[in-house]
Amino acid sequence: MKFARYLEDTQIQEWKKKYIDYKGLKKHIAAIRKDREANKTSERKSSWSIRNDDSPEGAFKPTSPSSRRRTSTVTGTPASALNKTPKETSQLTTSPHQQYGTSGTTPPLHARTKRSPSIRMQLPPPHEPLETFTLPPPARSLNEHDVRADPTRPRFETYAALLASVPPLERNFFDYLDAQVDKAEMFFDERYREAAVRLSVLKEQFAELAQHRRAYHNSLIIRSSRWKALPLPKFPAQVIQSAVTGIARHLLAARDEIEQTVTHPADPSGSSHRDPETYQSAKKELKQVVLEYHRFLELALNVTAIRKSLKKFEKATQHNIHELYNRERVENLSISSDRGIKSMIDEIEKMYASRFEGGDLKKARNRLRMWSRQKTHHFSTFRSGLLIGFAIPALIIGSYQASRPAVKQELPYWGALLEVYSALAIPVVFSLLIGLNMITWAKKRLNYVFIFELDLRTVMDPREYFEIPSFLFMTLSYAYMLSFSRVFEPRISATAWPIAWIVLFVVVMIDPFPLMHSHSRFWLVWNWSKLLMPGLYPVEFADFWMGDQMCSMVYTLSRLYFMGCAYSVGWNDVTNRCNMGRNWIAGVLLASLPSLIRLIQCIKRYVDSRNYIHLINGGKYSSSIIAAGLFFNWRNHGSHPGRHYVAWVFFSAVSSVYTSGWDLLMDWSLLQSHSTRRFLRPELLYGDYYPIYYFAIISNVLIRFVWIIYAPLGSFDFRIRSVIAATLEMLRRFQWNFFRVENEHIGNADQYRVTREMPLPYSFDNAEPRDDSDDDENDDKEGHPREPSDAVEAMKKPPSRESFVEPATERRSVRLTSIRSEDEGQIV
């Protein structure tokens, strides 16, 4: 694998701007190589013209390869005569009148057809001895190692002497390399200082945790003393021995601290104010903080790009400068050595082992480095493909049975049953499309794990994710086939299979057993439950992202009333009895539920941040709620042209313009005037396929106006229109996900965030006040502290998780006024 490809696959995308620009260095080297080749060509041409002017005419005429094989001198001596005796040579040399070769004349036709036997072979003239004709030495091939080993190449004692002797193009290369090295060094120093401050904060947290643990064990001793007076049952010796063996390790680990607590009471200013009941939760929180910090330390830089660039430069310029540049420019830099980072890693691993793993350092390292383990997913891919392969035949058979005229006549609720399966199929197919989103994010190295704040120890690979949607898709396909094939009728009705599938779906999602990625399923169920309780929890990216996904599932939600009505009152004449027009209030509530949730989330974010951009975002969802209410009101009044129709069309158009503009300007950050690609943005992670951005802009706006499909008043079935509109909205959201997560990733890269800044369990409110004058000296012109960084300050207090994920809408308002001018490139 080429180094450029390896670098692209292994670099930290959020730190890409601070990496050494390896591609830029290669461009400089290519320019140097091209200039040297041009100079060599011009020198050869000038040398050729001088030799032709100073020598007799025809003396240096070029010869053909066949002529060079026949002669070795300009006088036409055959090459085979070089190692012959004079007698043998005389038989090979012709007379001057019939001399063939490059310098000889072409013989006449009769001479070429019939040669006279009386012609004598003559030796060359005496003034041209044979021993003077020697072959040139063979050309020596140069490789990368010959460049350094060749003593004829120029060598330099100092880097300054090198810069003074090289031409301008090569000096530009070194200036650019120096700038890239300084950029990477400055960034690495900032991260190193941040890591050092974080380590000191974690040491304080571990010390406080030790005090808290003593208070916790002290409370356990007090509680256990209440049970000493009670008679204990007598157990067999073997049972007692087995129990003691199982808990001996934990008791021995805590014995010294318990004794120290009894003999040396805790400091009143230390852990006495800590609630012993919160020890376990504080311990769990501190574990998460250490895991994120350990991951931050392992994302270190190196100098591979510098070494590779210098090798290419040596090969192009024939200068021996690799060792010189490393000695004077690289060896003294922080990025050339990872000893400081490794010492921090060793220290935090020892602290984690002593506190959480009973001193087992190997176990602690396995826990802390669990996120970096590489696993194969061949079986996951195989299982997903197998499930989808089983589903496709069932889907085809079910569609064929459903299209038969006989089935339509025998099932009076044929259309209603199709409507139910359409409502169930859209979220299942959408979950498969989200898997394609994840695969694309992983391929483009978008850090969606950090964006959604997923647990690195239990997060699913995109190939693992496909297993659950594939299983649901397969089971739904077979339920669809069994309903319209009516295999088990009359024992099992065709309408029993949809409700059976819904029960299966609920069981799969809430299954408490560790099957089918239980951690990920519980995470999804928990986030769904938070959507039903908006305003009670801080709104993070995963919360409002899932709320937006629900906004594209309005068709399924609005059909929940129809399904509940059908199974409660029966399927006979279900279309008329469960028509939502009669109960349009229920339809409005179900269709407006996702927009209402998002509106409450926007209000909650405004309350937490006091940023008015969230209220503007809430206005978008308010317009959607109004448009949905007017639509059901129009349907309730007979779907006839009139004032209700005009009101619905007007507010739907306003909502479509509002939402389309927000998608392009805020969620995607497109339509920027300073972009190299017109109407796009400066940074495009899908830049290799930039036409898709223009396609997404046009298609997103068009599908936002999909409500127009309901406007024509004709015989076209309303249910078919609804399915078409719901399918288009599902595809629009699938497309929206690509660019929304891309925009969030670019925002994280602007601030170089690669790990979560977890809130610490302990805050020290009784710390000594600092001198205000010292703070003023460390402030910049705008009044912001220079050091430590904001990320470090966030660790010293338990802030709300809202502060960790900056929404793209807030970034957009900043980008419209000022755009950061960072060097594009790569660091290693």
Side-chain angles (χ1 to χ4, degrees), residues 184-192 300-301 334-335 337 341:
E185 171 70 7
M186 184 180 301
F187 180 76
F188 183 80
D189 284 342
E190 293 176 359
R191 302 283 80 76
Y192 183 82
L301 308 180
S334 301
I335 57 175
S337 175
I341 294 294

Side-chain angles (χ1 to χ4, degrees), residues 48 51-52 54-62:
W48 184 268
R51 292 171 63 185
N52 285 339
D54 296 342
S55 60
E57 183 178 359
F60 292 96
K61 289 184 178 180

Side-chain angles (χ1 to χ4, degrees), residues 15 188 191-192 194-196 198-199 202 290-301 338 340-349 371 754-755:
W15 293 353
F188 183 80
R191 302 283 80 76
Y192 183 82
E194 180 179 338
R198 286 189 178 191
L199 182 60
L202 286 176
V290 174
L291 286 173
E292 291 294 330
Y293 176 71
H294 188 273
R295 180 170 178 264
F296 175 80
L297 291 179
E298 290 193 345
L299 299 176
L301 308 180
D338 56 355
I341 294 294
K342 285 186 175 181
S343 63
M344 291 184 185
I345 293 176
D346 294 339
E347 188 170 2
I348 197 65
E349 287 177 350
W371 67 273
V754 294
T755 57

Side-chain angles (χ1 to χ4, degrees), residues 339-635:
R339 289 190 297 270
I341 294 294
K342 285 186 175 181
S343 63
M344 291 184 185
I345 293 176
D346 294 339
E347 188 170 2
I348 197 65
E349 287 177 350
K350 292 178 181 178
M351 293 167 61
Y352 187 91
S354 62
R355 184 56 57 190
F356 301 130
E357 301 297 340
D360 192 341
L361 185 59
K362 181 179 180 180
K363 188 176 180 180
R365 287 173 177 171
N366 291 334
R367 290 289 181 88
L368 292 173
R369 300 176 184 180
M370 186 181 298
W371 67 273
S372 60
R373 295 178 183 176
Q374 299 294 331
K375 298 187 299 182
T376 60
H377 306 284
H378 304 297
F379 288 105
S380 298
T381 305
F382 173 76
R383 287 190 293 266
S384 300
L386 188 65
L387 293 172
I388 294 177
F390 284 150
I392 292 176
L395 185 63
I396 294 175
I397 295 173
S399 300
Y400 169 74
Q401 293 292 338
S403 62
R404 293 175 57 196
V407 176
K408 295 181 182 180
Q409 294 177 359
E410 295 173 2
L411 290 178
Y413 43 82
W414 175 85
L417 193 59
L418 272 181
E419 189 174 357
V420 169
Y421 274 110
S422 299
L424 297 177
I426 284 180
V428 174
V429 175
F430 184 56
S431 63
L432 290 172
L433 295 179
I434 291 179
L436 298 179
N437 287 137
M438 296 173 62
I439 289 178
T440 305
W441 296 335
K443 184 176 181 180
K444 290 297 181 180
R445 306 194 70 240
L446 274 70
N447 195 356
Y448 68 92
V449 176
F450 168 66
I451 292 174
F452 289 96
E453 298 190 8
L454 304 176
D455 192 346
L456 289 168
R457 297 170 298 175
T458 59
V459 64
M460 285 192 300
D461 185 84
R463 290 161 289 187
E464 295 176 314
Y465 166 84
F466 270 103
E467 291 188 51
I468 297 178
S470 300
F471 174 76
L472 296 176
F473 179 66
M474 183 200 68
T475 53
L476 182 62
S477 298
Y478 276 94
Y480 173 65
M481 181 191 70
L482 293 174
S483 292
F484 288 99
S485 298
R486 297 178 300 158
V487 177
F488 298 99
E489 283 191 351
R491 290 180 298 174
I492 301 178
S493 173
T495 59
W497 296 107
I499 195 66
W501 183 87
I502 293 175
V503 172
L504 175 65
F505 169 76
V506 174
V507 170
V508 168
M509 296 309 299
I510 65 175
D511 177 23
F513 298 101
L515 302 173
M516 299 183 71
H517 311 286
S518 57
H519 292 282
S520 299
R521 288 190 287 106
F522 295 157
W523 180 89
L524 185 61
V525 172
W526 168 244
N527 281 273
W528 280 346
S529 63
K530 287 200 299 182
L531 287 179
L532 300 178
M533 298 179 291
L536 300 181
Y537 298 94
V539 182
E540 304 169 7
F541 180 86
D543 299 321
F544 61 77
W545 184 84
M546 293 188 67
D548 287 330
Q549 309 305 302
M550 283 189 62
C551 291
S552 297
M553 298 290 108
V554 171
Y555 175 79
T556 299
L557 293 174
S558 62
R559 295 305 181 274
L560 291 179
Y561 170 81
F562 178 81
M563 287 188 284
C565 176
Y567 282 103
S568 60
V569 303
W571 288 82
N572 294 327
D573 197 19
V574 65
T575 304
N576 295 326
R577 297 173 62 184
C578 297
N579 186 7
M580 198 169 292
R582 299 180 179 180
N583 302 279
W584 66 284
I585 298 298
V588 171
L589 293 177
L590 291 173
S592 303
L593 181 61
S595 297
L596 181 62
I597 291 174
R598 288 293 290 119
L599 175 60
I600 298 175
Q601 287 180 341
C602 292
I603 296 174
K604 171 65 175 176
R605 298 184 73 185
Y606 167 74
V607 172
D608 294 338
S609 63
R610 296 297 174 181
N611 192 340
Y612 287 94
I613 198 69
H614 299 305
L615 294 181
I616 301 175
N617 191 20
K620 176 183 68 173
Y621 299 103
S622 300
S623 66
S624 299
I625 295 173
I626 295 173
L630 292 175
F631 171 74
F632 282 96
N633 180 55
W634 170 62
R635 294 281 298 169

Side-chain angles (χ1 to χ4, degrees), residues 14-25:
E14 290 84 353
W15 293 353
K16 184 176 181 179
K17 293 180 180 179
K18 294 301 181 180
Y19 276 71
I20 292 174
D21 186 9
Y22 181 66
K23 290 184 178 179
L25 293 172

Side-chain angles (χ1 to χ4, degrees), residues 94-114:
T94 61
S95 63
H97 299 286
Q98 293 181 340
Q99 195 176 39
Y100 308 147
T102 303
S103 301
T105 59
T106 303
L109 181 60
H110 65 85
R112 283 178 287 171
T113 57
K114 184 178 181 180

